[in-house]
């Protein structure tokens, strides 16, 4: 590995310099974007391996190119491990990432114009769940449901059932990228069964937490399809995966290839296989429990400081802070202030946000990455305090500089897996 680095430094100093800069940023800052994580050194090794050289259109035992002895082996391993981890009957591990995995399910089951019930973007849903700006929103007819902001973000299943009976969807979709609660999948399934709709859960954010059984598994609730990315709480390579019942295996596989994609990225598939092996180990369950405990600790400190959190708290790995209500500051400015002290978050719309997406009312924070570094409740208490101090004194440069030093000192005690310590 070190030889590759030396070679890169000589071949392309500009890219090597950017790599060193990003390593320093990751080493010296706290990552609180809930969809990010630090992957395993083993995964980095496989991603940068010769599997990247190989074309493998098709599936194990049914490929369109020769030379598949080892690619067949790794894809079969990845599929078997994914099925065991999620109690699925079938897994397709080829989607290149989250958007293609969701599109593959839609195209497998729906015709243009078909109706899908999906969660409203500002209430926590995802772009690929039919936001009007996405191609999906133009091809299919998405009808959006909201959360009950007056009831800690609960889903109103009576209302969902009424809308389902009125619109007769082909599919009911749940899943989120900024919803800080867990779902009752059986309640979604009951609504879907009433109108003969298929069910799909996009658990991209919480894939690792579902795998570790610290959050509910939609497949246990009878869902037809579950999609997840492999790089967020699962801690693996950038990629996507579709889990389903055996009865849907053929249409899903055909939808991914040749329907939507060409050659799978076999370095990613190999890295996913490694990730699933790691996720089945007891250490990963402990990690997942700590992700939740850390998020609860952040929430408790914020609430104690009268900071407004969407839904009033969290049941998962993420929190959505209403910075407009709490600090009279939009999410863009809050993100920038926290960047200055070395804490990375992202601006975030809140339910029915009156502000535009690039200057929304809040920020989103999450614990998967800092938990991977080994941070626990005491570090969460410190971080939450520093975040509140920075946002309350955003114009005090000297105070922000002192907070930045504290963040850097904290980070020096928690190495990033796969990253060499800072050069001395
Ligand atoms: N970009 C991911 C997130 O941050 O939630 C989802 O696509």
């Amino acid at each position: 590995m070190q030889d590759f680095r030396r070679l890169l430094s000589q071949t392309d100093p500009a890219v090597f310099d950017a790599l060193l800069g990003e390593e320093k940023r990751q080493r010296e800052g706290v990552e609180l974007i809930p969809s990010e994580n630090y992957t395993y050194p083993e995964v980095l090794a496989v991603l940068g391996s010769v599997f990247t050289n190989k074309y493998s259109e098709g599936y194990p035992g049914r490929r369109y190119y020769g030379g598949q002895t080892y690619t067949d082996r790794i894809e079969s391993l990845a599929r078997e491990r994914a099925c065991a981890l999620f109690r699925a009957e079938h897994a397709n591990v080829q989607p290149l990432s989250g958007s293609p995995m969701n599109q593959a399910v839609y195209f497998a089951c729906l015709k243009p114009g078909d109706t899908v019930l999906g969660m409203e973007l500002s209430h926590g849903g995802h772009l690929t769940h039919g936001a009007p700006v996405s191609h999906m929103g133009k091809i299919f007819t998405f009808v959006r449901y909201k959360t009950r902001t007056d009831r800690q973000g609960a889903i109103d299943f009576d209302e969902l059932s009424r809308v389902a009976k009125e619109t007769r969807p082909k599919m009911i979709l749940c899943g989120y990228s900024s919803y800080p609660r867990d779902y009752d999948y059986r309640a979604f399934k009951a609504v879907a069964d009433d109108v003969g709709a298929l069910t799909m859960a996009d658990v991209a954010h919480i894939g690792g937490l579902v795998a570790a059984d610290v959050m509910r598994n939609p497949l246990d609730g009878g869902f037809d399809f579950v999609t997840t990315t492999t790089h967020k709480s699962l801690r693996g390579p950038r990629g996507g995966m579709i889990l389903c019942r055996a009865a849907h295996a053929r249409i899903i596989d055909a939808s991914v290839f040749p329907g939507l994609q060409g050659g799978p990225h076999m370095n990613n598939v190999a890295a996913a296989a490694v990730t699933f092996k790691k996720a089945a180990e007891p250490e990963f369950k402990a990690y997942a429990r700590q992700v939740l405990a850390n998020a609860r600790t952040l929430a408790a400190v914020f609430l104690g400081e009268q900071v407004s959190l969407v839904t009033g708290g969290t049941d998962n790995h993420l929190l959505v802070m209403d910075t407009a209500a709490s600090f009279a500051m939009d999410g863009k400015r809050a993100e920038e202030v926290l960047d200055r002290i070395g804490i990375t978050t992202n601006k975030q719309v809140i339910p029915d946000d009156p502000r535009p997406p690039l200057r929304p009312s809040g920020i989103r924070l999450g614990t998967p990455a800092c938990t991977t570094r080994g941070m626990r409740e005491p570090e969460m208490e410190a971080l939450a305090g520093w975040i509140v101090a920075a946002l309350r004194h955003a114009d005090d440069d000297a105070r922000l500089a002192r907070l930045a030093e504290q963040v850097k000192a904290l980070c020096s005690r928690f190495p990033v897996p796969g990253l060499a310590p800072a050069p001395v």
Side-chain angles (χ1 to χ4, degrees):
M1 209 60 160
Q2 290 310 313
D3 286 347
F4 295 164
R5 289 173 71 88
R6 195 173 318 114
L7 192 58
L8 177 64
S9 72
Q10 291 158 0
T11 311
D12 195 335
V15 168
F16 187 64
D17 189 55
L19 174 64
L20 292 182
E22 178 61 15
E23 288 182 348
K24 180 171 160 51
R25 190 193 72 78
Q26 294 196 13
R27 189 186 293 119
E28 295 183 357
V30 173
E31 185 54 71
L32 288 185
I33 292 177
S35 48
E36 296 189 15
N37 211 332
Y38 306 105
T39 196
Y40 304 98
E42 300 92 318
V43 163
L44 291 175
V46 177
L47 283 175
S49 72
V50 294
F51 278 120
T52 204
N53 299 341
K54 189 73 195 108
Y55 260 124
S56 304
E57 275 95 331
Y59 291 99
R62 292 181 290 127
R63 306 275 192 191
Y64 290 82
Y65 292 71
Q68 305 291 348
T69 306
Y70 303 104
T71 43
D72 275 8
R73 191 185 292 176
I74 56 161
E75 186 167 351
S76 298
L77 268 179
R79 295 200 304 196
E80 286 158 18
R81 289 174 181 172
C83 285
L85 201 53
F86 288 90
R87 297 183 285 281
E89 291 175 358
H90 180 70
N92 186 306
V93 295
Q94 294 193 5
L96 301 179
S97 203
S99 181
M101 81 194 174
N102 287 345
Q103 292 180 47
V105 179
Y106 302 155
F107 286 120
C109 307
L110 306 172
K111 290 196 276 307
D114 278 352
T115 297
V116 182
L117 287 193
M119 194 162 169
E120 166 75 22
L121 185 72
S122 79
H123 285 243
H126 189 252
L127 270 179
T128 57
H129 300 174
V133 291
S134 74
H135 290 318
M136 300 303 98
K138 295 182 179 102
I139 295 171
F140 306 110
T141 307
F142 282 87
V143 175
R144 277 165 273 282
Y145 58 88
K146 296 185 173 183
T147 59
R148 288 290 302 262
T149 46
D150 58 336
R151 286 201 212 150
Q152 300 191 317
I155 306 291
D156 185 339
F157 284 103
D158 291 337
E159 174 62 7
L160 190 72
S161 172
R162 189 193 64 71
V163 175
K165 284 180 180 140
E166 190 180 299
T167 59
R168 311 300 298 183
K170 284 275 170 54
M171 178 181 280
I172 294 185
L173 167 58
C174 64
Y176 50 81
S177 58
S178 61
Y179 177 64
R181 300 294 177 183
D182 202 0
Y183 281 143
D184 179 350
Y185 295 105
R186 288 182 201 279
F188 276 107
K189 175 80 173 132
V191 172
D193 285 348
D194 256 3
V195 296
L198 292 163
T199 39
M200 168 176 160
D202 173 352
V203 301
H205 262 255
I206 54 167
L209 308 176
V210 172
D213 276 326
V214 300
M215 289 190 70
R216 295 182 191 123
N217 184 337
L219 292 170
D220 295 342
F223 265 52
D224 294 293
F225 304 101
V226 172
T227 59
T228 182
T229 47
T230 50
H231 49 277
K232 297 186 177 93
S233 52
L234 260 170
R235 268 167 82 175
R238 307 294 290 226
M241 158 164 84
I242 302 167
L243 303 156
C244 63
R245 309 212 206 124
H248 298 308
R250 197 186 52 77
I251 58 165
I252 286 297
D253 284 354
S255 185
V256 174
F257 174 84
L260 190 67
Q261 295 185 176
H265 295 180
M266 295 314 289
N267 56 332
N268 263 62
V269 171
V274 175
T275 300
F276 303 148
K277 183 168 195 287
K278 300 282 274 183
E281 291 170 357
E283 293 78 9
F284 190 79
K285 206 183 218 339
Y287 160 76
R289 274 197 217 102
Q290 191 64 46
V291 167
L292 297 186
N294 283 353
R296 283 194 301 271
T297 304
L298 283 180
V301 177
F302 290 140
L303 294 173
E305 294 282 344
Q306 276 70 54
V307 171
S308 169
L309 299 178
V310 170
T311 81
T314 181
D315 294 329
N316 57 26
H317 65 303
L318 71 85
L319 303 87
V320 181
M321 180 189 287
D322 184 340
T323 55
S326 310
F327 303 100
M329 181 187 290
D330 66 50
K332 178 171 188 287
R333 169 115 166 95
E335 176 192 298
E336 287 165 358
V337 170
L338 295 177
D339 258 340
R340 283 187 60 192
I341 66 165
I343 294 179
T344 314
T345 62
N346 71 273
K347 61 181 90 54
Q348 178 65 46
V349 289
I350 64 169
D352 305 316
D353 204 327
R355 294 166 192 263
L358 284 175
R359 225 172 234 294
S361 295
I363 55 171
R364 193 177 60 146
L365 309 101
T367 53
C370 60
T371 308
T372 296
R373 284 178 94 152
M375 295 185 190
R376 301 173 67 89
E377 287 85 346
E379 289 74 40
M380 295 305 110
E381 285 170 10
L383 283 170
W386 296 337
I387 288 169
V388 172
L391 296 179
R392 281 200 182 130
H393 304 281
D395 295 321
D396 183 341
D397 288 343
R399 189 185 279 246
L400 293 188
R402 284 198 300 277
L403 288 168
E405 282 309 313
Q406 287 176 288
V407 169
K408 199 169 155 186
L410 175 75
C411 289
S412 69
R413 295 175 24 227
F414 294 92
V416 173
L419 252 182
V424 280

